[in-house]
Amino acid sequence: MPKFIFNKKMYFCDMGRNNEKNIKAHNDKLHKAQDKAKSKKNARAEQLKAILKKFNENKT
């Protein structure tokens, strides 16, 4: 269970993404996933180019 800190009628939870360390960790994970998806897309495009090139060579 998260710890709550009482400060002038405001409650803060130290388990969420509300601190710099957790924001950085979240952004790093997000960027890593985005880079992975982008590299998969680029690899697929390269494979398709190779297949098309091979098909066009065999066609003539």
Side-chain angles (χ1 to χ4, degrees), residues 2-60:
K3 296 178 183 176
F4 290 96
I5 302 167
F6 180 73
N7 185 5
K8 294 184 180 180
K9 299 182 183 179
M10 298 179 79
Y11 292 92
F12 298 101
C13 177
D14 65 346
M15 292 284 290
R17 285 192 356 216
N18 297 332
N19 62 42
E20 283 187 40
K21 180 182 173 190
N22 289 340
I23 291 171
K24 184 180 181 330
H26 172 76
N27 287 340
D28 289 346
K29 186 185 283 187
L30 176 66
H31 294 150
K32 186 176 180 181
Q34 288 173 341
D35 290 343
K36 188 175 180 182
K38 189 175 181 180
S39 67
K40 276 186 173 182
K41 184 179 177 183
N42 288 341
R44 179 70 177 153
E46 290 297 321
Q47 287 177 342
L48 288 174
K49 283 181 188 177
I51 290 169
L52 281 173
K53 185 177 179 183
K54 197 172 200 180
F55 177 76
N56 289 333
E57 287 174 356
N58 291 339
K59 192 176 183 180
T60 57

